[in-house]
Amino acid sequence: QQQVKQSPQSLIVQKGGISIINCAYENTAFDYFPWYQQFPGKGPALLIAIRPDVSEKKEGRFTISFNKSAKQFSLHIMDSQPGDSATYFCAASGNNNDMRFGAGTRLTVKP
Amino acid sequence: DAGITQSPRHKVTETGTPVTLRCHQTENHRYMYWYRQDPGHGLRLIHYSYGVKDTDKGEVSDGYSVSRSKTEDFLLTLESATSSQTSVYFCAISQPSTGELFFGEGSRLTVL
């Protein structure tokens, strides 16, 4: 069973809008929650990550919101740009080097 | 770039043939990983290594074996390829201090 559930599968946003991608996890031993960005033909690359001791982390236009009690976290992309069009993966891991990924969200930002 | 090279980048093979994918790193990191990426499944861990000759199974290890005889090289072998192993395979290394994964550019394998 998938330990990290991600939604939506695809997302279309107008330039300047806000993109929101949600993830939920099951394993309470997870203590590291990264988001990866992947462009076609490339490997995923770390975008931003959070640990459960904080509820929010912001880096530029990208923000992770984390709700430990609900076992949910989300990625917000403010002022979305066409260059943000990519596939985004949430992930979660504990101390066993087994990082679990969500199924991915294909984001398209229309100019 | 994190200094990860995967080879081959593309391969087409037939059912029942053996296939070996190679991952080479220049970062001298201890941990190396093999993932497969399939639509609707994200990335799933096949095997990982925590040192020379030290490996362990991941979530989807059946039908795959790995070897690591040198720090810089991590090999993934499909002893007898099946069509269900058609996928894009990614090698990754992890940053020891943060746990961040750095991925290679992937190897696309098609099993006919």
Side-chain angles (χ1 to χ4, degrees):
Chain A
Q1 69 281 15
Q2 199 150 22
Q3 292 199 21
V4 180
K5 295 184 179 178
Q6 182 173 346
S7 62
Q9 284 186 324
S10 63
L11 181 62
I12 300 174
V13 174
Q14 291 294 127
K15 178 182 176 181
I18 302 173
S19 305
I20 302 173
I21 306 171
N22 300 299
C23 282
Y25 64 96
E26 299 174 0
N27 189 342
T28 55
F30 290 150
D31 63 359
Y32 175 64
F33 302 90
W35 286 89
Y36 283 80
Q37 180 188 55
Q38 184 180 31
F39 294 104
K42 300 293 185 182
L46 179 68
L47 184 64
I48 186 173
I50 197 168
R51 293 195 182 269
D53 52 337
V54 296
S55 60
E56 185 174 283
K57 183 174 182 180
K58 184 176 181 179
E59 290 183 0
R61 296 184 294 108
F62 302 91
T63 300
I64 299 179
S65 297
F66 184 79
N67 185 329
K68 188 175 181 179
S69 61
K71 294 188 287 185
Q72 295 175 346
F73 58 110
S74 60
L75 176 69
H76 295 236
I77 305 174
M78 311 300 288
D79 187 26
S80 298
Q81 299 296 312
D84 296 331
S85 297
T87 300
Y88 292 81
F89 295 95
C90 63
S93 69
N95 60 3
N96 62 352
N97 293 291
D98 185 358
M99 187 172 292
R100 298 296 178 116
F101 286 80
T105 297
R106 178 171 291 184
L107 172 66
T108 302
V109 181
K110 296 206 164 187
Chain B
D1 288 345
I4 304 170
T5 305
Q6 292 186 228
S7 60
R9 294 290 314 279
H10 301 271
K11 185 171 182 67
V12 179
T13 191
E14 294 190 349
T15 297
T17 60
V19 175
T20 295
L21 305 179
R22 179 178 181 249
C23 178
H24 178 80
Q25 62 147 331
T26 59
E27 307 297 316
N28 201 35
H29 284 326
R30 182 180 167 198
Y31 282 86
M32 298 184 74
Y33 307 80
W34 276 108
Y35 284 86
R36 62 177 289 174
Q37 183 176 25
D38 304 287
H41 291 277
L43 294 115
R44 292 179 292 174
L45 182 65
I46 304 171
H47 281 279
Y48 69 97
S49 170
Y50 46 96
V52 173
K53 298 185 179 178
D54 292 323
T55 65
D56 207 348
K57 296 179 179 180
E59 182 186 3
V60 290
S61 60
D62 287 349
Y64 302 95
S65 62
V66 290
S67 65
R68 192 164 177 203
S69 59
K70 297 185 290 185
T71 299
E72 57 266 36
D73 290 326
F74 191 31
L75 304 181
L76 177 70
T77 298
L78 292 66
E79 300 290 348
S80 178
T82 67
S83 58
S84 65
Q85 294 175 311
T86 292
S87 186
V88 181
Y89 291 86
F90 286 97
C91 175
I93 59 176
S94 65
Q95 170 63 256
S97 58
T98 63
E100 175 182 353
L101 291 180
F102 293 93
F103 287 88
E105 297 211 321
S107 296
R108 182 176 293 276
L109 175 67
T110 301
V111 183
L112 302 176

